[in-house]
């Protein structure tokens, strides 16, 4: 099975590991992430204004490319996922945006939201199945108490993202169970880490991240996992350091026994870069 | 076409259907007419080409009463009418074996003639297997050509799409022909001053000879007896003696099919006087779309039509004045 | 039309929000993680727009404190979505030249080695035209 | 050709002062069909009516036109007069020359001209009138009440007290409904069971009331006065006649893990059970899903311990068919599922509960024997937070758009009861608006604030955050203080929106009773006929029609009973003869008319039709004249003109149009 | 329009009124002595949904200069839903009349309750005024019907 894959800017730079672990894990699970050609940054935030078109075009381009290949579009970074899924919803359901975007794009065939946008986690849940995943685990992370940190972008607005119950999600918990560890449910898992506010208002972010850390630790978590590079950065940078934070793909790769493989690509990439 | 005939023969032979409803060649190269075929032998007269514009769904009302199934050839746009007839319990789905036939746009001989092509002996390029780009016409004055597009019926330029809404199987390829918005002409009239509108319709409708061809061909006008023929309204058919008559007739006709008309365009196609009757139906369709939400009759077989439905906050009739 | 009226209309248009749907339940303010940093509170955005009190709204520091975390959007029982309103007000400001909340020369001192690309990109989108 | 008499009334000077009545009468004689015309001082008087009777007899009149006041005034009078004189009452038409003419015009010439035209229109119509006979149908003097809650019980009692047989169908094993789950009732705080159980007993003991519990309505046919209903009596596995209600079986039943519906799943019950101690009938049912005997074939303990030999594992569902003249729907409500409101952590913490669960906790017969305690650890709570409007007043599709109406009051009740019984417990209520219209209601709420010190905070709650130590952090708005507050609580109580019982959709379809977008049954008229369904013979009782508290429910239940009694008191129903009638030879069978009929009066039948020498089976419309109310929507929807309205036929109305425009 | 012309032209106006609200509203206008021109003649129908577009065209055919339909306010229909259907039918019909060039204003729908005698009378005064300003209906009249 092949999926079109939109890595996004951060997965090419600071979050190369999030990407590398995902790719090796995908291979181990029997599917392939085919990076789409010439993707452009999604913009990081979904433009809320009903009159914004230009800022949505990079997503439309990516979506259309996946459509032309007849593939679903997979994302990893929460922000990319949020932006692309919402733009896709616009293209499907908001006539005005659809018409104007297509006017700009001048495609051979207008894009009307045909592509299905999937988060990597959704691929695991809906396409592979957590039971299947469980069978492929070679290093179960038995005994690890892990708190899932969702943040806001994957879940809200619930109707459009349709990712999970926005107030009581279970997908990452189910994932944690599948890799053999024990999920720790804590109430702040869908509260905001501060997002981009941390650039200029470190204090605000600090407060929020501490709440998250304290709550998770209070319920017995030993680590947090997330899908979002910005959440990871904020939790590490602004949080009180009570708990380590990892990408979920890292744990996945570890459980599947392919972590080493990923680390090798990461070091070789680094060498190339240097 | 051969594929269609072969399939028809098979279905007749294995007893799936008792008859085939299609078209047979007419006396001229461009006037095939609807026909039943009951034997494999008779299928030699079967044709299906660019001139087979007739919507056969209405024939299924009668065919539904006959013994056994009827194989009926329906173009994509005809299937909307068929669905609408199912919704109104006028045809029996189980009595029909629907072969969705491909369509590359249907031709209007009047349009071809208007280009100065007279004395037609034969026409090439209108077969369903052709690419529907150019028509080559042998006339008594020599060979002429005409772009397929330029010979197409108005309705094909505003085609609803080449997807069959209901079928048992599909035979033949289709080609997209839509290159205009179906409401453009309605908008043009709407923009006129009242006197201009009146003059326009006066001149068009004064051509009406009340031959009832529009009514007879319309798949939505399928009443056993038309109100204009019954004494229920003291409105039974009178000779065409004054201008009001046709106005009343055509408004009521359009009103009676409002919300049920699939915009198949048969009324205009068959009008011997060339009156653009579809402009009435499309006006209602446009109003319904704008006021009550987009609705395409015949898209399904169970939804409520716009005139048998309502919402609490529908527009008031005064909107007609307000939107000017 | 007065400038403020025009601006109020513009905010309604950009956001697609009808402030009259608000029933003043306060759910947005109850959900907002930035509540304490804001001078005009989420539930008040609605009345500022409805009352065409735009001058004060666009000068409010709340514009720059909203995280776009959509908690208010998700939970609003009346489909009012204060988060969208505040974003539209922010748009109104950044679309005017020279009104950017973030300038390129500010950036170097805000950077650190781990800072992800995503942060810069998002902040730019939110703070600048 | 009709022989029409025209009678012009002076109405003293009311008409005659402005209209030349003599001239109207003279002009009438020139109209086709008119063989008699006269004027008189007061046509409606006895002498006037005698004139009419005399003319009918002498001139052998077949139709009458009375030029007088509004038909809304005296149409009935003149119709009766005509009937007494041997003329079909529907051969009378009124020309309204008073309200619509003499009273609004000053110029005699002008008013007379108009009166003549109105007379002509009426004459033109009468020329096309046909005698109409009101239909008659017999009334089965028995009522069905669907639902055995307080609404159903009250309606049944009222109907039965009037002397008519009533059947109650209740799908649970006992009657009692929601009210039986409540602890105390507002605004008087009397115990719910104390006022409900006597009514339950009374209903059970009433000689005119027959109760089908653990039963459901399966099929309904017929129409007003003559419904036929199939009732499914679900297999109880216990013989109702033999069971003595001793309760030993429930005690000994080894399967005790079935969640108790009555206690909202807060504790468990045995597989053989009565929902609560005062159940009526006091006969248990076996829940086959949880019964070991039914699951494995082994067990049979209940059968062994039953002295009466009442246990019957082989019992099957039984269908009872009964006839009814009237049906009352009293299906009640449930509270919404809270899956869409997980920000309140209902599914994440045992100490976040609904108000209905709190009722059970507060109730002495409930899972905690009436002790206020946390379900997680059994500890007594010190801080309780109530959250209002959970799922009510939501215009998004998460919840319900309406106000559930009862929550403000029951929350005040809960708050007050807790503060009264446990003065050291602090109670906080987050509210959007406090709505207390009702007798002694606002006083009640103010008492909670002023006398009991309940802390009311205006603002919604954004999130309930369970803490590692088991406390609940409530993050809410205080709009009046313009603050976001974090309040630590031991227990959170949600005022979940109420919704019509989900079964009502199925029942409404069977009854062809209309239902609104929220699944509440629609009343025939929002103001003037609030307890009747637009479908004749169907009445609405209680919350199935809209949110209501107990006093309102009881009042409406009584009103529904009166309407049903009014129907049952008649031996025969005279139906309005001005109903729709299809011309079967013209009918296309297209269903368009049925789509617009608000009364479900139109059905289709495959009928043999003889038309123009052809005999064929056609699908044609049939109007049930007992259901048709004569609005005429179908007549315009019908494209072929097959459907017409008697008394207001197409030709009659066109004749009036023609006469006016002549 | 000059005064002489006004004297010459007396319009024919047909008003369809539903039995339960508007006809009663007209009765109330009468008992309150609220006058409106005698040109208006009322036809009683059970419900606005009984008014067939054919009746309206028929009136014009026979020489009516204006046709007005009155019914219960939406939501107050005696038959619950009749006026909702009528509203759609009339909207589409009026739009079609406008489309073929019949002067706007010769047709009107007004919701008049049984309590709105004043509204009934004002509406009729306005409508008659409008028809005077439009003059004789020539576009929809059947010439054979002219006397």
């Amino acid at each position: 099975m092949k999926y079109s894959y939109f890595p996004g800017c951060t997965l090419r730079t600071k979050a190369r590991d999030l990407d590398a672990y995902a790719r090796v894990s995908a291979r181990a699970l029997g599917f392939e992430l085919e990076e789409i050609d010439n993707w452009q940054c999604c913009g990081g935030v979904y433009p809320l204004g009903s009159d914004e078109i230009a800022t949505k075009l990079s997503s439309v381009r990516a979506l259309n490319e996946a459509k032309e290949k007849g593939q679903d579009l997979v994302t990893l970074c929460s922000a990319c996922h949020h932006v692309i899924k919402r733009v896709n919803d616009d293209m499907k359901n908001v006539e005005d945006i659809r018409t104007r975007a297509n006017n700009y794009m001048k495609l051979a065939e207008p894009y009307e939201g045909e592509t299905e946008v999937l988060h990597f986690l959704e691929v695991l849940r809906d396409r592979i199945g957590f039971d299947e995943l469980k069978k492929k685990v070679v290093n179960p992370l038995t005994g690890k108490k892990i708190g899932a940190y969702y943040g806001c972008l994957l879940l809200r607005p619930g109707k459009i993202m349709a990712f999970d119950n926005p107030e009581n999600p279970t997908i990452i918990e189910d994932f944690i169970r599948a890799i053999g560890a024990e999920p720790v449910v804590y109430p702040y898992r869908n509260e905001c880490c501060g997002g981009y506010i941390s650039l200029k208002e470190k204090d605000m972010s600090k407060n929020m991240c501490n709440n998250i850390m304290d709550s998770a630790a209070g319920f017995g978590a030993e680590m947090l996992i997330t899908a979002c590079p910005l959440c990871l950065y904020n939790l590490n940078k602004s949080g009180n350091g009570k708990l380590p934070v990892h990408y979920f793909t890292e744990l996945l790769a570890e459980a599947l026994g392919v972590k080493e493989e990923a680390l090798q690509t990461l070091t070789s990439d680094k060498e190339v870069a240097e | 076409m051969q594929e269609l005939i072969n399939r028809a023969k098979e279905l007749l032979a294995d007893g799936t259907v008792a008859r085939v409803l299609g078209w047979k060649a007419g006396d001229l190269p461009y006037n095939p007419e609807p026909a039943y075929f009951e034997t494999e032998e008779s299928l030699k007269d079967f044709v299906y080409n660019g001139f087979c514009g007739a919507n056969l769904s209405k024939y299924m009302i009668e065919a539904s009463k006959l013994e056994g199934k009827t194989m009926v050839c329906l173009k994509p746009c005809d299937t909307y009418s068929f669905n609408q007839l199912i919704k109104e319990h006028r045809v029996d789905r189980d009595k029909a074996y629907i072969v969705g036939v491909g369509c590359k746009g249907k031709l209007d001989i009047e349009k071809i003639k208007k280009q100065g092509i007279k004395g037609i002996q034969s026409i090439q390029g209108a077969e369903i297997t052709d690419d529907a780009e150019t028509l080559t016409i042998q006339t008594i004055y020599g060979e002429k050509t005409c772009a397929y597009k330029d010979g197409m019926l108005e309705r094909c330029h505003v085609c609803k799409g080449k997807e069959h809404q209901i079928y048992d199987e599909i035979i033949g390829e289709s080609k997209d022909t839509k290159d205009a918005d179906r409401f453009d002409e309605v908008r043009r009239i709407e923009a006129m001053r009242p006197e201009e509108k009146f003059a326009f319709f006066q001149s068009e409708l004064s051509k009406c000879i009340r031959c009832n061809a529009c009514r007879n061909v319309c798949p939505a006008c399928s009443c056993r007896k038309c109100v204009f023929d019954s004494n229920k309204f003291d409105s039974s058919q009178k000779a065409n003696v004054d201008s009001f008559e046709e106005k009343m007739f055509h408004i009521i006709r359009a009103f009676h099919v409002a919300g049920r008309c699939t915009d198949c365009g048969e009324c205009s196609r068959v009008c011997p006087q060339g009156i653009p009757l579809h402009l009435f139906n499309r006006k209602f369709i446009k109003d319904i779309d704008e006021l009550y939400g987009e609705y395409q009759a015949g898209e399904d077989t169970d939804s409520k039509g716009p005139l048998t439905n309502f919402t609490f906050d529908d527009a008031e009739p005064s909107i007609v004045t307000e939107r000017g | 039309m007065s400038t403020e009226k025009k601006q109020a209309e513009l905010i309604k248009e950009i956001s697609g929000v009808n402030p009259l749907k608000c029933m003043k339940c306060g759910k947005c303010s109850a959900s907002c993680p930035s509540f304490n940093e804001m001078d005009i509170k989420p539930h008040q955005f609605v009345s500022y727009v409805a009352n065409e009190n735009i001058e004060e709204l666009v000068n409010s520091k709340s514009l720059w404190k909203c995280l776009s975390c959509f908690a208010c959007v998700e939970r609003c029982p009346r489909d009012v979505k204060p988060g969208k309103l505040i974003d539209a007000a922010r748009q109104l400001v950044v679309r005017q030249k020279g009104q950017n909340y973030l300038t390129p020369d500010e950036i170097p001192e805000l950077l650190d080695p781990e800072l992800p690309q995503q942060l810069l990109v998002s902040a730019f989108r939110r703070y600048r035209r | 050709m009709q022989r029409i008499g025209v009678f012009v009334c002076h109405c003293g000077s009311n008409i005659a002062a402005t209209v030349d009545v003599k001239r109207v009468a003279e002009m009438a004689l020139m109209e086709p069909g008119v063989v008699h015309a006269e004027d008189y001082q007061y046509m409606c008087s006895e002498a006037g009516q005698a004139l009419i009777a005399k003319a009918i007899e002498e001139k052998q009149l077949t139709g009458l036109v009375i030029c007088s006041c509004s038909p809304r005034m005296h149409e009935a009078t003149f119709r009766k007069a005509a009937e007494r004189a041997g003329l079909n009452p529907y051969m009378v038409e009124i020309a309204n020359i008073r309200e619509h003419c003499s009273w609004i015009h000053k110029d005699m010439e002008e008013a007379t001209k108009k009166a003549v035209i109105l007379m002509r229109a009426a004459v033109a119509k009468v020329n096309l009138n046909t005698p109409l006979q009101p239909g008659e149908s017999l009334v089965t003097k028995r009522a069905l009440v669907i639902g055995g809650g307080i609404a159903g019980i009250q309606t049944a009692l009222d109907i039965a007290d009037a002397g008519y047989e009533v059947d109650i169908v209740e799908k649970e094993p006992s009657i009692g409904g929601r009210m039986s789950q409540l602890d105390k009732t507002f605004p008087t705080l009397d115990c719910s069971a104390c006022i409900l159980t006597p009514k339950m007993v009374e209903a059970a003991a009433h000689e005119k009331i027959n109760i089908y519990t653990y039963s459901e309505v399966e099929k309904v046919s017929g129409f007003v006065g003559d419904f036929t209903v199939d009732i499914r009596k679900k297999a109880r596995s216990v013989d109702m006649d033999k069971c003595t209600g001793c309760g030993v079986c429930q005690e000994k039943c080894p399967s005790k893990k079935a969640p108790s519906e009555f206690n909202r799943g807060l504790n468990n019950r045995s597989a053989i059970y009565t929902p609560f101690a005062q159940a009526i009938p006091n006969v248990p049912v076996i829940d086959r899903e949880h019964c070991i005997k039914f699951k494995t074939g082994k067990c049979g303990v209940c059968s062994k311990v039953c002295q009466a030999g009442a246990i019957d594992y082989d019992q099957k569902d039984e269908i009872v068919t009964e006839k009814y003249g009237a049906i009352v729907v009293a299906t009640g409500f449930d509270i919404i599922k809270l899956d869409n409101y997980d920000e309140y952590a209902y599914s994440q913490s045992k100490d976040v509960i609904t108000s209905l669960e709190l009722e059970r906790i507060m109730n002495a017969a409930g899972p905690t024997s009436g002790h206020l305690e946390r379900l997680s650890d059994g500890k007594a709570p010190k801080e309780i937070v109530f959250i209002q409007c959970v799922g009510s007043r939501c215009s998004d599709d998460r919840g319900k758009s309406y106000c559930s109406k009862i929550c403000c009051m029951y929350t005040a009740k809960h708050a007050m009861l807790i503060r009264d019984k446990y003065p050291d417990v602090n109670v906080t209520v987050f509210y959007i608006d406090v709505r207390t219209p009702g007798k002694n209601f606002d006083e009640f709420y103010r008492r909670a604030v002023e006398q009991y010190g309940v802390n009311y905070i205006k603002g919604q709650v954004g999130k309930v955050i369970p803490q590692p130590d088991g406390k609940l952090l409530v993050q809410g708005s205080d709009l009046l203080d313009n603050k976001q507050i974090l309040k630590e609580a031991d227990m959170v109580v949600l005022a979940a929106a109420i919704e019509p019982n989900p079964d009502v959709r199925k029942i409404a379809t069977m009854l062809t009773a209309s239902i609104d977008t929220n699944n509440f049954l629609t009343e025939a008229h929002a103001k003037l006929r609030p307890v009747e369904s637009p479908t004749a013979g169907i009445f609405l009782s209680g919350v199935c029609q809209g949110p209501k508290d107990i006093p309102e429910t009881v009042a409406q239940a009584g009103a529904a009973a009166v309407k049903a009694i009014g129907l049952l008191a008649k031996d025969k129903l005279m139906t309005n003869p001005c109903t729709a009638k299809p011309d079967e030879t013209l009918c296309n069978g297209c269903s368009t008319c049925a789509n617009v009929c608000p009364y479900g009066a139109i059905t289709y039948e495959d009928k043999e039709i003889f038309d123009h020498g052809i005999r064929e089976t056609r699908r044609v419309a049939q109007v049930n004249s007992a259901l048709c109310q004569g609005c005429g929507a179908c007549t315009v929807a019908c494209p072929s003109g097959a459907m017409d309205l008697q008394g207001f036929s197409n030709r009659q109305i066109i004749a009036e149009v023609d006469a006016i425009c002549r | 329009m000059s005064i002489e012309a006004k004297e010459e032209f007396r319009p024919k106006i047909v008003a369809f009124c539903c039995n339960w609200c508007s006809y009663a509203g007209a009765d109330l206008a009468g008992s309150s002595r609220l006058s409106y021109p005698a040109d208006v003649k009322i036809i009683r129908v059970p419900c606005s949904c009984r008014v067939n577009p054919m009746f309206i065209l028929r009136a014009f055919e026979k020489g009516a200069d204006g046709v007005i339909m009155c019914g219960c306010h939406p939501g107050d229909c005696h038959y619950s839903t009749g006026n909702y259907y009528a509203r759609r039918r009339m909207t589409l019909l009026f739009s079609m009349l406008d489309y073929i060039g019949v002067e706007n204003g010769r047709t009107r729908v007004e919701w008049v309750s049984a309590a709105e005698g004043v509204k009934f009378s004002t509406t009729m005064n306005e409508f008659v005024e409008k028809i005077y300003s439009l003059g004789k209906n020539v576009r929809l009249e059947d010439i054979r019907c002219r006397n």
Side-chain angles (χ1 to χ4, degrees), chain D residues 195-216:
Chain D
I195 54 178
L196 175 67
T197 30
K199 282 208 182 277
M200 289 165 59
V201 172
E202 195 187 340
H206 205 294
E207 56 168 2
K208 297 277 186 191
I209 298 180
N210 177 29
I211 301 174
Y212 294 101
T213 49
Y214 210 47
S215 301
E216 287 178 38

Side-chain angles (χ1 to χ4, degrees), chain B residues 43-285:
Chain B
L43 283 163
K44 68 179 188 328
D45 298 330
F46 183 98
V47 291
Y48 179 61
N49 60 31
F51 288 100
C52 296
N55 178 349
L56 301 181
S57 53
K58 189 175 186 180
Y59 289 81
M60 286 307 297
I61 298 177
E62 286 310 312
S64 292
K65 297 178 191 162
L66 302 175
E67 241 353 271
K69 274 197 178 191
T70 304
M71 166 184 148
V72 58
C73 301
L74 297 181
K75 303 187 294 296
C77 51
D78 305 340
T79 57
Y80 288 89
S81 310
F82 193 82
N83 261 350
Q84 184 65 25
L85 287 166
I86 293 182
K87 186 190 281 186
E88 294 170 12
H89 306 273
R90 304 288 281 131
V91 295
D92 187 346
R93 175 67 181 93
D94 297 335
K95 286 289 192 71
Y97 186 91
I98 302 172
V99 173
V101 289
C103 175
K104 295 176 173 173
K106 292 296 163 229
L107 296 161
D108 182 351
I109 191 63
E110 296 308 322
K111 274 201 178 166
I112 295 171
K113 286 182 179 166
K114 267 199 195 121
Q115 295 174 36
I117 302 174
K118 301 274 160 67
I120 297 172
Q121 290 171 314
S122 71
I123 299 174
Q124 279 86 46
E127 290 306 316
I128 186 71
T129 42
D130 292 329
D131 60 2
E133 289 293 345
T134 317
L135 295 168
T136 313
I137 302 155
Q138 302 300 331
T139 74
I140 51 175
Y141 309 108
E143 188 179 291
K144 304 261 167 93
T145 59
C146 163
Y148 195 96
K149 260 195 162 139
D150 298 337
M152 240 165 28
L153 286 161
E154 187 276 346
R155 71 180 190 208
C156 299
H157 289 282
V158 299
C159 178
K160 285 188 284 290
K162 299 293 191 228
E163 263 171 51
H164 294 84
Q165 303 297 306
I166 186 168
Y167 58 88
D168 291 302
E169 63 179 284
I170 290 178
I171 295 178
E173 289 199 347
S174 293
K175 184 178 164 186
D176 208 11
T177 56
K178 181 177 190 299
D179 57 6
D181 187 301
R182 65 166 163 165
F183 296 127
D184 279 349
E185 189 65 7
V186 175
R187 278 188 205 103
R188 194 180 65 81
I189 296 168
E190 284 172 343
M192 291 180 182
R193 283 179 291 113
E195 312 79 80
E196 291 172 336
K197 291 177 183 172
F198 188 74
F200 173 79
F201 282 105
Q202 186 83 332
S203 87
E204 286 295 344
L205 292 180
S206 62
K207 295 186 235 161
C208 176
I209 52 172
R210 279 301 283 282
C211 68
N212 286 335
C214 50
R215 188 179 93 184
N216 295 343
V217 79
C218 174
C221 256
S222 62
C223 290
R224 292 181 202 288
K225 194 170 195 181
C226 177
V227 286
F228 286 96
D229 292 345
S230 78
N231 58 0
K232 291 276 163 185
F233 289 86
D234 284 340
S235 58
S236 55
Q237 195 175 24
K238 295 172 208 161
N240 177 40
V241 290
D242 69 282
S243 65
F244 180 79
E245 277 290 313
E246 319 87 41
K247 269 186 230 112
M248 169 108 167
F249 174 77
H250 290 293
I251 295 172
I252 291 297
R253 209 190 77 73
F255 193 86
H256 277 181
V257 300
R260 304 164 55 229
C261 167
T262 65
D263 200 8
C264 76
E266 286 286 272
C267 43
S268 295
R269 188 182 67 87
V270 300
C271 180
Q273 298 293 85
I275 305 171
L277 293 166
H278 63 273
L279 290 178
F280 285 99
N281 300 319
R282 278 205 200 141
K283 169 63 176 165
F284 279 135
I285 294 171

Side-chain angles (χ1 to χ4, degrees), chain A residues 9-10 13-14 41-52 54-56 77-80 82 86 152-153 155-159 166-167 190-192 194-202 204 207-208 228-231 233-234 237, chain C residues 10 12-16 31 33-34 36-37 63-75 79 83-84 87-88 90-91 95 101-103 106-107 110-127 129:
Chain A
C9 58
T10 317
T13 50
K14 300 289 178 201
C41 172
C42 69
V45 291
Y46 170 78
L48 283 170
S50 56
D51 56 349
E52 299 245 1
T55 41
K56 292 178 179 167
C77 163
S78 304
C80 302
H82 182 88
R86 291 190 76 176
C152 6
L153 294 171
L155 297 170
R156 295 189 288 258
K159 231 186 287 170
E167 303 290 359
N190 62 341
E191 288 293 307
C192 186
Y196 56 85
I197 210 89
S198 61
L199 187 66
K200 292 192 70 165
E201 327 260 344
K202 304 270 186 221
M204 276 176 75
N207 204 4
M208 294 169 191
C228 177
L230 182 51
C231 295
Y233 169 80
N234 280 346
K237 199 81 191 169
Chain C
L10 197 59
K12 284 187 235 173
E13 198 190 309
I14 296 176
S15 63
S31 298
S34 302
N36 290 328
E37 311 292 326
L63 260 55
W64 315 107
K65 306 292 177 188
C66 167
L67 309 168
S68 298
C69 76
F70 304 116
C72 55
V73 173
E74 184 66 38
R75 293 178 192 154
D79 232 1
K84 290 184 106 179
D87 190 70
R90 181 159 53 195
Q91 289 291 329
R95 284 180 193 185
Y101 188 65
L102 182 71
T103 51
E106 268 184 278
I107 292 184
L110 297 169
L111 288 179
D112 66 60
E114 289 99 58
L115 188 127
Q117 217 71 11
Q118 183 192 353
L119 175 52
L120 276 181
V121 175
S122 332
F124 254 84
R125 264 288 160 78
R126 280 284 181 250
Y127 292 150
R129 172 85 178 122

Side-chain angles (χ1 to χ4, degrees), chain D residues 2 19 103 113 154 301 449 519 548 585 598 604:
Chain D
Q2 306 273 24
V19 170
W103 275 355
K113 263 192 200 161
Q154 185 63 48
V301 169
V449 177
N519 281 359
K548 279 177 199 66
T585 61
Y604 292 86

Side-chain angles (χ1 to χ4, degrees), chain C residues 91-110:
Chain C
Q91 289 291 329
L92 212 62
V93 178
V94 297
R95 284 180 193 185
Q96 282 163 13
K97 222 179 151 200
Q99 290 284 306
N100 292 327
Y101 188 65
L102 182 71
T103 51
D105 38 310
E106 268 184 278
I107 292 184
E109 58 182 291
L110 297 169

